[in-house]
Every structure is written in structure tokens, then in C-alpha cells.
Amino acid sequence: MSKLIKVFTTTLLLVTLGGSVSAQPHTSLREGDKLDGIAAVVGKYPILSSSVDAQVLMIVAQSGKGYPSQDTIARIRKQVLQAEIDNKVLVVRAEQDTTIFTNESEIDERIEQQLKQYERKYGSRAEMERVFGKKVAEISSSPELRERARESILIEKLKGSHFSRALVISKRDVQDFYALYKDSLPRVGSQVELATIVKLVKPDPLQKEKLKAFARSLVDSLRNGASFSDYAARYSQHSTAKSGGDLGGPYPRGTFISDFESPAFKLKPSEISDPVETDEGIHIIKLIEKKGEEIRVAQILLKSSPSRQNEDSVFALIQSIQTRIKNGEDFSRMAIEYSDDQDTKVGGGVLGKVRVEELGPEQRGVIDSMSVGDVSRPVKIAYSPTVIGFQIVKLLARIEPHIPSPETDYRDIETLSTQWKMAKEFEKFVNESRKNVFVEVRNPSEH
């Protein structure tokens, strides 16, 4: 194992386990629970032996080297269990920080990213469903997966709040890092340098008013005895619809955005909220359970969907922008004037370097046929889990695979050196955090 890979092993394992579809169920210890089959307990969270074993088998299977020795299995299991313990310690620390929380939109987006990774890995959505033995809707609504997504977001925010702003990397730090690890740095794959213009499709304001009226009619029916789970399955546009809208949990205060959480905490068990509006849509909330500062809720989510007329109008607009650019108008100026992507428009639409392997299938198909300087046709994109739009890109450069060097890849090396320094600091933080969180390992020989 190279020096660089060894430094990042713990951090990468935490990230991998944090997003795994085969992750363990979200479970809290309750009075009377049996501890059989529990490898460790961290705060209120048990770590199931079956989950650890499943992850060990997955690592062994993905190695492609046949079945390892018992000593190797024991070593892998110890690493997995240690990573799981550290993962839960960080979740507990994040939950103790009142400035850190997640929302349903973030969780949906994280799950969508995870599913896209698996889709690319297995080649198609159908093959992914065959491998997991479930439809995408079933995978994405899994309480286990949603809890794993929540945990990974909390940990990222915890890391960000403690290290992102405080960590300063000098040019000398980057030079020292490169000198130490240059022989271990992975080869940089094919890249493209792109600029983009994005136009988002937005629904008519009148449609939102109609949706609010519909939500109020659903609330009236629910308060008069209609089944919440039936209505969720029938009307909710959230991934939990098939499970009756149950969001899992219970979750502590601070988990959800305030516009959703504030009315949820005011409910009594089995009570139905008035329609609640957030950036994600209109929610109808049912309180399932409340224990102190923790709640378990179900929801029906209604979203304003743009009409075909809205979509056609935006497509026509971005097509006209493309035509004007092809007729000689400046791409950068058009991006500043028209693009809805706030992160890139101020820089004239420049995205910078993008790894070809990270592009979506349709984007890659378009870019593969372009020459440097070309502007693409409009491509329909999922800008977020709840918003669609159209995009045109300009190919600024193609960069062939190469060994990284400070002259050509300074920003990438700077990012790696920052991650390296952060990993060392974060390891110290994890060790300190464990001193303040209850941890019990059921089989100390595995720890």
C-alpha cells in the first residue's frame, strides 16, 4: 500500500460506508432491547454485527481476488467496525451541534447522486435494479438508505464547520505535499474544460395557488378520517410515498429546515398539520411519535410541476441563445446576461476542468462529438431532484490523461494536499470526540 493511500484509508472508508446502499438500518436502543447480534453501541446507536459482516463480504467481493484468509477477514472486519464506530461518534457530535442539520431536499439529492453512481457502475438503471433486486423507487425510499444519507450529510457539515474555514494551505504546503507523495498520486484521466449557460423551467404562479387549494382539501379529508398512508401513496411526490410518507427516525430538533420543523414540533401524536410551504413544495405533516426533543413524522409532498408550455418556452429561449452565439455573439456575455446558474454566470459561464468520467451519459455523448470552440445543442438536465432545465456548453479545451504536476494540475494537487492536512486534523478530532461519547464494543478483540 502506498504512503498516500495509507494516509487516506480511514477517511475514505468513512465516506464509502456513509453512502452505501447496503447500509445498516437506523436503529435506536430502547428499554428491553436484546443486545444479541450487536457489535458495538455508540450513544443511542447500535451497530449490528450483521451489517458489519455484510460490508466485509461486499469489500471481499469487490476486491476480485478470491476468498481471503481468516486473518485477512478479521483485519477487514476490524477496520469496518472501527469506521462504523467513528462514523456514529461523528453523527452524535453533529446532532449535539444546534447549528448543524439536514433537510429532505438535501437527502433526496444525496440519494440521487448515489443512485447515479451505481447506475454508471452497472451500466444501466435496469441492471442496477437487477443487482439490488429492487426497483429504483424502492431503493430510494428505503429508510436505511435515507438514514445513511442523513448521516453522511451531517458528518460533512461537521467537518466543514470545524475545518473548512480554519484550514489554511500555503504554496509551500502544496510543494511539500507534492514532493512527499508525487510517486503515489493517481494518473489524471481525460478532462474537458467547459463553459455553460443554463435556463431553468419554472411553473406558473397560478399553478402553485391551485396546488395549495388541493392541499387544503386533502387536509380536510384527512382530518375527517381519510387514511394518511393511502393518501401519501396516491398523491405524495416524495420518495417515501410507498411507505405511507414515513420519514423514519425519530430525528432530533434541528434535523429539518425550520419552515418544516417548526409546525411539526407543534403537532400532537396523530395530528395533521395545515399545508406547509417550503422551497421543496407543499407539505402535509402527520406526527407519528414525539419523545422530548425528537420526532417521527410522515408527510405528503406536493410539488408544482412546470407545464409542457413552460418547458417549450424555455427550450425556445435557450435555442435562440445558442443561435445568437453561433452567429457571433460572445458566449461569456450571454452567460452573464441569461444563465440561471448563479455559481457560474458571474464568471461568464466557465465551469473549469471536468473529468470526462463524471459527465452524465447524455452530456458525454454531446461533448464527445464536439471540437474545441464548438457550442452544443440544448440538452435537457435535472438541475436538482426537483428542478429541470436546459443547458448549452462550450468546449474550451480537451486535456489528455497525464501524470499530475504542479505546472498543469496545481489546483488538483492543492485540493489533495488540503484533504491530506484535513484528514490528519480530523483524525485528531475523531479521537477527541470518542472521549465524550459513550462507546461500548461488544467484542473487544475486534476493536
Side-chain angles (χ1 to χ4, degrees), residues 151-183:
E151 290 181 354
S152 67
I153 294 168
L154 286 175
I155 291 171
E156 283 181 10
K157 291 184 176 182
L158 181 70
K159 290 174 71 173
S161 68
H162 281 270
F163 301 105
S164 293
R165 291 183 294 275
L167 207 61
V168 177
I169 296 292
S170 67
K171 190 171 183 179
R172 180 60 183 269
D173 288 330
V174 177
Q175 292 170 342
D176 290 345
F177 171 81
Y178 182 74
L180 188 60
Y181 292 115
K182 62 182 179 181
D183 294 334

Side-chain angles (χ1 to χ4, degrees), residues 363-374:
Q363 288 176 314
R364 187 168 181 174
V366 169
I367 291 169
D368 281 349
S369 63
M370 294 171 61
S371 299
V372 173
D374 285 351

Side-chain angles (χ1 to χ4, degrees), residues 221-277:
S221 297
L222 290 166
R223 288 174 175 171
N224 285 314
S227 168
F228 193 97
S229 59
D230 287 349
Y231 271 28
R234 191 185 309 175
Y235 299 115
S236 182
Q237 294 166 271
H238 192 261
S239 58
T240 57
K242 287 190 176 180
S243 61
D246 189 346
L247 296 178
Y251 296 124
R253 190 184 291 274
T255 297
F256 306 104
I257 57 174
S258 58
D259 288 344
F260 180 96
E261 187 172 86
S262 180
F265 265 93
K266 292 176 182 176
L267 296 173
K268 298 175 182 177
S270 299
E271 192 174 5
I272 308 294
S273 73
D274 290 330
V276 173
E277 185 175 355

